[in-house]
Amino acid sequence: MSKQTLVQGTLLLILAGLITKVLGFINRMVMARIMGGEGVGLYMMAVPTFLLTITLTRLGLPVAISKLVAEADAQGDRKKIKRILVVSLAITGVLSIIFTTIMISAAPILANYFFTDRRTFYPLIAISPVIPIIAVSSVLRGYFQGLQNMRPSAYSQVIEQIVRITLVALLSSLFLPYGVEYAAAGAMISVILGEAASLLYMFSMFKMKKTMKVRKGFFNQLKGGKSTFKELLNIALPTTGSQLIGSVSYFFEPIVVARSLAIAGISTAVATSQYGELEGYVMPLLLLPTFITYSLSISLVPAISEANANKNFVLIEHRLNQALRLSLISGGIAVIVTYVFAVPIMDLMYDAPSSASYLKVMTPLFIFLYFQGPLQAVLQALDLAKAAMINSLIGAIVKLAAIFVIASRPEFGIMGAAIAIALGTVVVTLLHFATVVKAISYTIVIKDYIKGFLCIVVTALFAAFLYRYIFPMYNQLIGTLLCVSITTFFYLLCLFLFKLIKREDLGHFPIIKRWI
């Protein structure tokens, strides 16, 4: 089975992530135009419950599978790889049945007593059948990632988004005449069909690439898989703890926001619409660079696990430095563009220029988020998932407490929730960084960070100049595209001048290697 290096695998996932992010934006733009802020708000209120259920069903197994498969593959132990797959499929199969039933049963209670808008019942019910599909897909992704073959994961992401974007307009428009709650449910159904297509592709790749027969001796593998079960849980449970804290925090977020806005004197319909703008419009833009850091995180777990198994601590430090440098430079351009061009971007994408105020407040602090994924991946690979879990718990408590304190004040309202979310992100990232520094002999390459922040400041000033003097010369669409393109080119030029993009990074790719 083809294996990629850390940088090659990461680039493949980055390209897939870029495509899926673009398609994801199109998806949200379509929903915004069809359902409006209120419909998107209902959709986004249901999403945290769905993600919490998925986290409980996965049980942190994708990371555990990736780590254990990478170690077993390094030792040439094919029997152990099969046992890991069998035990993982059995666990996720049972959990998916349990939690799908719980989610369907709990939907009326959640809609009537926890959320301030009872119409969330419909999207909650509509999304429930996707849980078993995602559970099986996550096992197969962990398997391929453990073998350091990122192609199936990358391609499946693109397939899922293509199917979803193809169907979301059709289904949401079809159900809209019955009410925005039904339109939100239609959008959820498109998620199910997209995930189903993704699973079919993953399964076909597994059938083509596998070197073992999983069904043969399935129950015998289960009987003899007690030690593998323990190994999986030793990694998965602390990882789940960290993910679960994030999911539980995200689950309570719309509840706390809704209650806080009610205390501030904001009506239910307005609160739903405002939360839809914050979570449905602003957050996707802030999370845009995470397709790069997510790709880095996926590649880092098996790569650092392998290096750690071989006691190669120099390589661990080198890979961490690579990941953090790429996180800085990818996050930097996102911060510049979303801050300087916030108003035209929000107007063009969602016809909601007023939501640009949330974006401007959150953007400067969200650069910390782009370091968070790689740092957490390193902690997981070094068997420090428990520490990552504690860090996430502290950040979640800070975020929810800050939302309640700030958003309940009439002068802040939903802006208070935006500030609190950004604050929680900063706290978790700083705690992760402190834990990594304590765990390994990590040398911070200070000059890279100084040069990186200089590039960001210089480019931001240049972008502000373009926005003031060049942007008004054209219509909004042309002006935005032109200014963003020139800003990006200028930023890349700065990165090369400051040598933040290095020859060793580019040399991993045969096509580029010919030219350097």
Side-chain angles (χ1 to χ4, degrees), residues 236-475:
L237 288 179
T239 301
T240 300
S242 184
Q243 294 174 347
L244 186 60
I245 288 165
S247 296
V248 169
S249 168
Y250 193 31
F251 168 74
F252 280 112
E253 184 183 300
I255 298 172
V256 176
V257 169
R259 297 294 177 185
S260 300
L261 294 180
I263 292 171
I266 298 170
S267 68
T268 298
V270 173
T272 300
S273 182
Q274 287 183 342
Y275 187 73
E277 289 182 8
L278 178 60
E279 285 293 333
Y281 302 168
V282 175
M283 289 302 294
L285 276 170
L286 293 172
L287 295 174
L288 177 60
T290 58
F291 75 85
I292 295 176
T293 55
Y294 172 74
S295 304
L296 281 166
S297 302
I298 290 175
S299 299
L300 274 172
V301 172
I304 289 186
S305 296
E306 186 179 39
N308 193 40
N310 296 325
K311 306 297 181 184
N312 193 342
F313 300 110
V314 174
L315 183 58
I316 291 174
E317 185 176 350
H318 173 69
R319 284 174 171 165
L320 177 57
N321 274 320
Q322 274 187 313
L324 294 181
R325 177 161 41 84
L326 186 53
S327 298
L328 174 63
I329 63 179
S330 60
I333 186 61
V335 168
I336 295 163
V337 171
T338 52
Y339 185 85
V340 176
F341 304 104
V343 173
I345 287 174
M346 299 307 290
D347 192 18
L348 286 168
M349 293 186 67
Y350 305 114
D351 192 26
S354 61
S355 57
S357 58
Y358 312 140
L359 193 60
K360 279 183 169 289
V361 168
M362 299 176 77
T363 290
L365 293 177
F366 253 72
I367 194 167
F368 285 89
L369 177 69
Y370 311 137
F371 295 102
Q372 193 176 118
L375 288 171
Q376 182 155 324
V378 171
L379 291 175
Q380 290 167 349
L382 295 175
D383 297 321
L384 292 170
K386 185 177 179 181
M389 178 184 70
I390 294 170
N391 296 343
S392 299
L393 176 61
I394 295 170
I397 292 171
V398 169
K399 181 184 78 170
L400 292 175
I403 287 175
F404 185 76
V405 171
I406 306 174
S408 60
R409 296 173 65 87
E411 63 267 32
F412 285 102
I414 193 67
M415 184 63 77
I419 295 168
I421 291 169
L423 181 62
T425 298
V426 173
V427 169
V428 174
T429 304
L430 291 177
L431 289 173
H432 279 354
F433 183 75
T435 307
V436 168
V437 171
K438 185 178 178 181
I440 62 174
S441 299
Y442 175 59
T443 304
I444 303 172
V445 187
I446 296 176
K447 65 177 182 179
D448 280 353
Y449 293 97
I450 293 173
K451 290 191 291 185
F453 283 112
L454 277 174
C455 284
I456 292 171
V457 171
V458 170
T459 307
L461 292 172
F462 179 71
F465 171 82
L466 293 176
Y467 185 55
R468 183 172 182 179
Y469 296 104
I470 305 300
F471 177 81
M473 297 169 61
Y474 303 90
N475 65 49

Side-chain angles (χ1 to χ4, degrees), residues 5-17 295 299 509 512:
T5 66
L6 171 65
V7 181
Q8 289 172 333
T10 300
L11 180 66
L12 186 62
L13 290 171
I14 285 172
L15 292 174
S295 304
S299 299
F509 312 107
I512 301 176

Side-chain angles (χ1 to χ4, degrees), residues 165-226:
I165 192 64
T166 303
L167 296 174
V168 68
L170 174 65
L171 294 174
S172 56
S173 298
L174 186 65
F175 290 110
L176 185 60
Y178 302 99
V180 289
E181 62 271 33
Y182 290 97
M188 288 295 192
I189 293 171
S190 72
V191 175
I192 297 174
L193 297 175
E195 289 289 350
S198 174
L199 175 59
L200 285 174
Y201 171 77
M202 293 282 289
F203 185 72
S204 65
M205 288 298 99
F206 177 73
K207 293 282 286 183
M208 290 173 58
K209 302 289 186 180
K210 71 176 182 178
T211 56
M212 69 200 82
K213 294 183 178 180
V214 175
R215 285 180 297 178
K216 186 177 179 180
F218 186 92
F219 291 103
N220 289 331
Q221 289 286 342
L222 279 180
K223 290 177 183 178
K226 187 176 180 180

